[in-house]
Coordinates of all heavy atoms in Angstrom, one line a residue:
D283 N 37.7 34.0 29.2 CA 37.6 34.3 27.7 C 37.9 35.6 27.4 O 38.4 36.1 26.3 CB 36.2 33.9 27.3 CG 36.1 34.1 25.7 OD1 36.6 33.3 25.0 OD2 35.4 35.0 25.3
E284 N 37.6 36.6 28.3 CA 38.0 38.0 28.1 C 39.5 38.3 28.2 O 40.0 39.0 27.3 CB 37.3 38.9 29.2 CG 37.5 40.4 28.9 CD 36.7 41.2 30.0 OE1 36.1 40.7 30.9 OE2 36.9 42.6 29.9
F285 N 40.1 37.6 29.2 CA 41.5 37.8 29.2 C 42.4 36.9 28.3 O 43.5 37.4 27.9 CB 41.9 37.7 30.7 CG 43.3 38.1 31.0 CD1 43.7 39.4 31.1 CD2 44.5 37.1 31.2 CE1 44.9 39.9 31.3 CE2 45.7 37.6 31.4 CZ 46.0 38.9 31.5
F286 N 41.9 35.7 28.0 CA 42.7 34.8 27.1 C 41.7 34.6 26.0 O 41.2 33.5 25.7 CB 42.9 33.5 27.8 CG 44.0 33.6 28.9 CD1 43.5 33.6 30.3 CD2 45.4 33.6 28.5 CE1 44.5 33.7 31.4 CE2 46.2 33.7 29.7 CZ 45.8 33.8 30.9
P287 N 41.7 35.5 25.0 CA 40.8 35.2 23.8 C 41.4 34.2 23.0 O 40.6 33.4 22.3 CB 40.8 36.6 23.1 CG 42.1 37.3 23.5 CD 42.3 36.8 25.0
V288 N 42.8 34.1 23.0 CA 43.4 33.0 22.2 C 44.5 32.5 23.0 O 45.3 33.2 23.7 CB 43.9 33.4 20.9 CG1 44.6 32.3 20.1 CG2 43.0 34.1 20.0
S289 N 44.5 31.1 23.1 CA 45.5 30.6 24.0 C 46.9 30.7 23.4 O 47.2 30.7 22.1 CB 45.3 29.1 24.2 OG 46.3 28.3 25.0
H290 N 47.9 30.9 24.3 CA 49.3 31.0 23.8 C 49.8 29.7 23.0 O 50.3 29.9 22.0 CB 50.3 31.1 25.0 CG 50.3 32.4 25.7 ND1 49.2 32.9 26.4 CD2 51.2 33.4 25.8 CE1 49.4 34.1 26.9 NE2 50.6 34.4 26.6
V291 N 49.4 28.5 23.5 CA 49.7 27.2 22.9 C 49.2 27.2 21.5 O 50.0 26.9 20.5 CB 49.2 26.1 23.7 CG1 49.6 24.8 23.0 CG2 49.9 26.2 25.1
R292 N 48.1 27.6 21.3 CA 47.4 27.6 19.9 C 48.0 28.6 19.0 O 48.3 28.4 17.8 CB 45.9 27.8 20.0 CG 45.2 26.5 20.6 CD 43.8 26.7 20.9 NE 43.1 25.6 21.5 CZ 43.1 25.3 22.7 NH1 43.8 26.0 23.6 NH2 42.6 24.3 23.2
L293 N 48.3 29.8 19.4 CA 48.9 30.7 18.8 C 50.4 30.2 18.3 O 50.8 30.6 17.2 CB 49.0 32.1 19.4 CG 47.8 33.1 19.4 CD1 48.1 34.2 20.2 CD2 47.6 33.5 17.9
W294 N 51.1 29.7 19.2 CA 52.5 29.2 18.9 C 52.4 28.1 17.9 O 53.3 28.1 16.9 CB 53.1 28.8 20.2 CG 53.7 29.9 21.0 CD1 54.2 31.1 20.5 CD2 53.8 30.0 22.3 NE1 54.5 31.9 21.6 CE2 54.4 31.3 22.7 CE3 53.6 29.0 23.4 CZ2 54.6 31.5 24.0 CZ3 53.8 29.3 24.7 CH2 54.4 30.6 25.0
A295 N 51.4 27.2 18.0 CA 51.2 26.1 17.0 C 51.0 26.6 15.6 O 51.6 26.2 14.7 CB 50.0 25.3 17.4
L296 N 50.1 27.7 15.5 CA 49.8 28.3 14.2 C 51.1 29.0 13.6 O 51.5 28.9 12.4 CB 48.6 29.3 14.3 CG 48.1 29.9 13.0 CD1 47.6 28.9 12.0 CD2 47.0 31.0 13.3
Q297 N 51.8 29.7 14.6 CA 52.9 30.3 14.1 C 54.0 29.5 13.6 O 54.6 29.7 12.5 CB 53.6 31.2 15.3 CG 54.8 32.0 15.0 CD 55.3 32.8 16.2 OE1 54.7 32.6 17.2 NE2 56.3 33.5 16.0
L298 N 54.3 28.4 14.3 CA 55.3 27.4 13.9 C 55.0 26.7 12.5 O 55.8 26.5 11.6 CB 55.6 26.4 15.0 CG 56.2 26.9 16.3 CD1 56.3 25.8 17.3 CD2 57.6 27.4 16.0
I299 N 53.6 26.5 12.4 CA 53.2 25.8 11.0 C 53.4 26.8 9.9 O 54.1 26.5 8.9 CB 51.7 25.4 11.1 CG1 51.6 24.2 12.1 CG2 51.2 25.0 9.7 CD1 50.1 24.0 12.4
L300 N 53.1 28.0 10.1 CA 53.2 29.1 9.0 C 54.7 29.4 8.7 O 55.1 29.6 7.6 CB 52.5 30.3 9.4 CG 51.0 30.3 9.5 CD1 50.3 31.5 9.8 CD2 50.3 29.8 8.1
V301 N 55.5 29.3 9.8 CA 56.9 29.5 9.6 C 57.8 28.6 8.9 O 58.6 28.8 8.1 CB 57.6 29.9 11.0 CG1 59.1 29.7 11.0 CG2 57.2 31.4 11.5
T302 N 57.3 27.2 9.3 CA 58.1 26.1 8.6 C 57.7 25.7 7.2 O 58.5 25.2 6.5 CB 58.0 24.9 9.5 OG1 56.6 24.6 9.8 CG2 58.8 25.2 10.8
C303 N 56.5 26.1 6.8 CA 56.0 25.7 5.4 C 56.8 26.3 4.4 O 57.0 25.5 3.4 CB 54.5 26.1 5.4 SG 53.3 25.0 6.1
P304 N 57.1 27.4 4.4 CA 58.0 28.0 3.2 C 59.2 27.3 3.0 O 59.7 27.1 1.7 CB 58.3 29.5 3.6 CG 57.2 29.8 4.4 CD 56.9 28.6 5.3
S305 N 59.9 26.8 3.9 CA 61.1 26.0 3.8 C 60.8 24.7 3.1 O 61.7 24.2 2.2 CB 61.7 25.6 5.1 OG 62.2 26.8 5.8
L306 N 59.6 24.1 3.3 CA 59.2 22.9 2.7 C 58.9 23.2 1.2 O 59.2 22.4 0.3 CB 57.9 22.3 3.4 CG 58.2 21.9 4.8 CD1 57.0 21.2 5.3 CD2 59.5 20.9 4.9
L307 N 58.4 24.4 0.9 CA 58.1 24.7 -0.5 C 59.4 24.8 -1.3 O 59.4 24.5 -2.6 CB 57.5 26.1 -0.5 CG 55.9 26.2 0.0 CD1 55.4 27.5 0.0 CD2 55.1 25.2 -0.9
V308 N 60.6 25.3 -0.7 CA 61.8 25.3 -1.5 C 62.1 23.8 -1.8 O 62.6 23.7 -2.8 CB 62.8 25.9 -0.7 CG1 64.2 25.9 -1.1 CG2 62.5 27.5 -0.3
V309 N 62.0 22.9 -0.9 CA 62.4 21.4 -1.2 C 61.6 21.1 -2.3 O 62.0 20.3 -3.1 CB 62.2 20.7 0.1 CG1 62.5 19.2 -0.1 CG2 63.2 21.2 1.2
M310 N 60.3 21.3 -2.3 CA 59.4 20.9 -3.3 C 59.8 21.5 -4.7 O 59.6 20.8 -5.8 CB 57.9 21.2 -2.9 CG 57.4 20.6 -1.8 SD 55.7 21.2 -1.3 CE 54.7 20.8 -2.7
H311 N 60.1 22.8 -4.7 CA 60.7 23.3 -6.0 C 61.8 22.7 -6.5 O 62.0 22.5 -7.7 CB 61.0 24.8 -5.7 CG 61.1 25.6 -7.0 ND1 61.1 27.0 -6.9 CD2 61.3 25.2 -8.3 CE1 61.1 27.5 -8.2 NE2 61.3 26.4 -9.0
V312 N 62.8 22.3 -5.6 CA 64.0 21.6 -6.0 C 63.5 20.1 -6.6 O 64.1 19.7 -7.7 CB 64.9 21.3 -4.9 CG1 66.2 20.5 -5.3 CG2 65.5 22.8 -4.6
A313 N 62.6 19.6 -5.9 CA 62.2 18.2 -6.4 C 61.5 18.3 -7.8 O 61.6 17.5 -8.6 CB 61.2 17.6 -5.3
Y314 N 60.7 19.4 -8.0 CA 60.2 19.7 -9.3 C 61.2 19.9 -10.4 O 61.1 19.4 -11.4 CB 59.3 21.0 -9.1 CG 58.8 21.5 -10.4 CD1 57.8 20.8 -11.2 CD2 59.4 22.7 -11.0 CE1 57.3 21.2 -12.4 CE2 58.9 23.1 -12.3 CZ 58.0 22.5 -12.9 OH 57.4 22.9 -14.2
R315 N 62.3 20.6 -10.0 CA 63.3 20.7 -11.0 C 64.0 19.5 -11.3 O 64.2 19.1 -12.5 CB 64.4 21.8 -10.5 CG 64.0 23.3 -10.6 CD 65.3 24.0 -10.1 NE 65.1 25.3 -10.6 CZ 66.2 26.2 -10.6 NH1 67.4 25.9 -10.1 NH2 66.0 27.5 -11.2
E316 N 64.3 18.7 -10.3 CA 65.0 17.3 -10.6 C 64.0 16.5 -11.4 O 64.5 15.7 -12.3 CB 65.2 16.7 -9.1 CG 66.4 17.4 -8.5 CD 66.5 16.8 -7.0 OE1 65.7 16.1 -6.5 OE2 67.5 17.1 -6.4
A317 N 62.7 16.5 -11.2 CA 61.8 15.6 -12.0 C 61.7 16.1 -13.4 O 61.8 15.4 -14.4 CB 60.4 15.8 -11.5
R318 N 61.9 17.4 -13.7 CA 61.9 18.0 -15.0 C 63.2 17.6 -15.7 O 63.1 17.2 -16.9 CB 61.7 19.5 -15.0 CG 60.4 20.0 -14.8 CD 60.4 21.4 -15.2 NE 60.5 21.8 -16.6 CZ 60.8 22.9 -17.1 NH1 60.8 24.0 -16.4 NH2 61.0 23.0 -18.3
E319 N 64.3 17.7 -15.0 CA 65.6 17.3 -15.6 C 65.6 15.8 -15.9 O 66.2 15.5 -16.9 CB 66.7 17.6 -14.5 CG 68.1 17.2 -14.9 CD 68.7 18.0 -16.1 OE1 68.1 19.1 -16.4 OE2 69.6 17.5 -16.7
K320 N 65.1 14.9 -15.1 CA 65.0 13.6 -15.3 C 64.2 13.2 -16.5 O 64.6 12.4 -17.4 CB 64.4 12.8 -14.1 CG 64.4 11.2 -14.2 CD 63.9 10.6 -13.1 CE 63.8 9.1 -13.2 NZ 63.3 8.5 -12.0
K321 N 63.0 13.9 -16.8 CA 62.2 13.6 -18.0 C 63.0 14.2 -19.2 O 62.9 13.5 -20.2 CB 60.9 14.3 -17.8 CG 60.0 13.7 -16.7 CD 58.6 14.5 -16.7 CE 57.8 13.8 -15.7 NZ 56.4 14.4 -15.6
Y322 N 63.6 15.3 -19.1 CA 64.3 15.9 -20.2 C 65.5 15.0 -20.6 O 65.6 14.7 -21.9 CB 64.8 17.2 -19.8 CG 65.6 17.9 -21.0 CD1 65.0 18.5 -22.1 CD2 67.0 18.0 -21.0 CE1 65.7 19.1 -23.0 CE2 67.7 18.5 -22.0 CZ 67.1 19.2 -23.0 OH 67.8 19.8 -24.1
R323 N 66.1 14.4 -19.8 CA 67.2 13.4 -20.2 C 66.7 12.1 -20.6 O 67.3 11.5 -21.6 CB 68.1 13.1 -18.7 CG 68.7 14.2 -18.1 CD 69.9 14.8 -19.0 NE 71.0 13.8 -19.1 CZ 72.0 13.7 -18.1 NH1 71.9 14.5 -17.0 NH2 72.9 12.8 -18.3
E324 N 65.5 11.7 -20.2 CA 64.9 10.5 -20.9 C 64.5 10.8 -22.3 O 64.6 9.9 -23.1 CB 63.7 10.1 -20.1 CG 64.0 9.6 -18.7 CD 62.7 9.2 -18.0 OE1 61.7 9.5 -18.4 OE2 62.9 8.6 -16.8

């Protein structure tokens, strides 16, 4: 516990989750725009 306070594997898992989430937010923003455009055309 003194030498490995946090495991490499768990740190990498948290890092990959935080790194990939912003790209999904861009997709969600585009989907929000498309939904607004669809309602406006209706």
Side-chain angles (χ1 to χ4, degrees):
D283 183 70
E284 181 180 358
F285 190 73
F286 291 99
V288 182
S289 174
H290 286 68
V291 176
R292 290 173 179 82
L293 274 178
W294 283 330
L296 181 61
Q297 180 181 4
L298 292 174
I299 290 172
L300 294 177
V301 162
T302 54
C303 281
S305 298
L306 301 181
L307 291 178
V308 174
V309 177
M310 293 173 62
H311 195 163
V312 175
Y314 168 75
R315 279 187 162 194
E316 292 176 347
R318 285 194 61 191
E319 178 66 23
K320 183 178 179 181
K321 290 182 180 179
Y322 180 78
R323 297 291 294 277
E324 291 176 354

